[in-house]
Amino acid sequence: MKKVVKFGGSSLASAQQFKKVGEIIHADKERKYVVPSAPGKRFSNDTKVTDMLYGCYRLAEAGKDFKKELAAIEARYQEIIDGLALTLTLTEEFKVIEKDFKAKAGENYAASRGEFLNGKIMAAYLGYEFIDAAEVIRFKENGDFDSEVTNQILKERLDGVERAVIPGFYGAYENGVVKTFSRGGSDITGSIVARAIKADVYENWTDVSGILVADPRIIDNPEPIDIVTYRELRELSYMGFSVLHEDAIFPVRREGIPINIRNTNKPEDEGTWIVESTCQKSKYVITGIAGKKGFCSVNIEKEQMNSEVGFGRKVLQAFEDYGISFEHTPSGIDTMTVFVHQDEFMHKEQKVVSAIHRLADPDSIDIEADLALIAVVGRGMKSTRGTAGRIFSALSHANVNVKMIDQGSSELNIIIGVTNEDFEAAIKAIYDIFVLIRL
Ligand code: ASP
């Protein structure tokens, strides 16, 4: 068995956290490949090292003095080194970083140093080999991640390497220039390494005991999800779940490797399993509830729209012409509604409205703002009757007016549109009926 273990920033924010991580790794000899993030927050109003690096580099780029800021970053690492009683020193590394900052090596390079340095400490602490991600994670010239070349390089590099530390979040172009993934990208690195070595499990260690059925800012102490499929998670992530970087699913998905989300501060908890498919039913029929505010609906009416071939295409053309992506398009006989992100649409609304008139010649167009979309996701809905009925009776009891309903043909999710105002009440009502009352 081989496991890849990725530790997030809060799991590596201090020497004390590093020690917990060390214990977790030593507790299972299959935890062979370690992907660290940069040190995160030690307390709630602390600053992540990645943000300190961005700030410091902004000064460097503006030609201002950045010594004090760089020294504060060095102190964060030194505190960890001292707390772990390591003999390692990062003085040389910081000299190089200072020189590179002065030479304006770029924001990506600057941010990547957070993981690079933490990887050095982790390798020294564990006695594992350090492998610089710039040598093994490759980006294409257009900035996209090069999955196939990376997979090849990594496979060859890790062949015969028993145990290694590979920093998360960054890689490089073929010419060696460093590039990072988007924020939270160490999750992707862990997934890439897991794919390359065909790991049995990709363990992603963070500061919560798995993925929760609903957002804890809306529901008090929501239940954790034991097991969720890649597809369910994709739906939930798209609608706002943020435990794992959205793109972290793709590499492991290709090899069917399960992801196990675990809590560094409660290693005894089983956490959440993210798998390709399972015969295990969700405890509550639904797997999770996610949602987002800030949508607009554009309602278009035209008599006998249903018999006009190409009407929908013409309407959507107007959105495409102005670079606006649409979320959902429920329709009636003489009406069609297009849901869009309000912030994207707001500045272009009048242009889009005239384009719809020009292209599709509707009778009227009516825009409604401040709407929210809620996704009720669950692989169990397919084989359970009455799920939609339960959702809508719960919403009506909670006095929530449903503006839109959309059930995908996969029967994996039901999307509900409500006003921004009703958003929290709607999520509570759905959570209660399925999880608390379990009607
Ligand atoms: N350190 C980076 C960030 O704060 C990447 C990561 O933690 O995954 O976004």
Side-chain angles (χ1 to χ4, degrees), residues 392-438:
F392 296 113
S393 73
L395 291 176
S396 93
H397 277 111
N399 256 329
V400 171
N401 183 24
V402 175
K403 297 259 165 200
M404 190 272 291
I405 305 164
D406 195 355
Q407 175 174 14
S409 53
S410 63
E411 287 183 61
L412 192 66
N413 62 6
I414 296 178
I415 309 282
I416 300 148
V418 298
T419 59
N420 278 352
E421 255 180 10
D422 280 343
F423 179 69
E424 283 83 7
I427 291 193
K428 279 200 185 96
I430 300 169
Y431 183 85
D432 287 355
I433 199 88
F434 285 98
V435 181
L436 287 189
I437 308 174
R438 291 177 84 167

Side-chain angles (χ1 to χ4, degrees), residues 234-360:
R234 175 120 179 84
E235 301 280 352
L236 291 165
S237 307
Y238 185 70
M239 285 301 257
F241 270 37
S242 61
V243 182
L244 190 75
H245 193 296
E246 250 190 278
D247 294 340
I249 301 277
F250 300 113
V252 284
R253 189 175 184 165
R254 301 177 72 130
E255 295 289 339
I257 300 166
I259 306 173
N260 187 198
I261 309 278
R262 301 285 291 264
N263 188 349
T264 300
N265 305 316
K266 281 190 176 172
E268 64 285 1
D269 288 354
E270 213 1 58
T272 299
W273 285 90
I274 306 166
V275 300
E276 183 173 1
S277 185
T278 174
C279 62
Q280 279 188 45
K281 296 217 169 77
S282 321
K283 258 202 225 142
Y284 314 107
V285 178
I286 60 160
T287 304
I289 313 161
K292 274 187 193 166
K293 289 184 180 175
F295 292 92
C296 259
S297 69
V298 184
N299 309 305
I300 302 134
E301 276 196 42
K302 185 174 187 181
E303 240 172 67
Q304 295 185 338
M305 167 195 294
N306 65 326
S307 53
E308 185 179 326
V309 176
F311 184 83
R313 179 185 49 74
K314 289 177 208 157
V315 168
L316 294 179
Q317 179 75 48
F319 289 88
E320 186 178 345
D321 287 351
Y322 289 97
I324 293 168
S325 64
F326 69 91
E327 293 294 310
H328 294 277
T329 55
S331 61
I333 303 175
D334 292 333
T335 62
M336 170 174 175
T337 303
V338 183
F339 272 80
V340 288
H341 287 271
Q342 194 158 327
D343 53 353
E344 237 184 57
F345 180 68
M346 221 158 45
H347 313 290
K348 300 177 182 166
E349 61 169 26
Q350 295 312 316
K351 289 183 181 139
V352 176
V353 167
S354 356
I356 299 173
H357 274 288
R358 201 172 53 244
L359 293 163

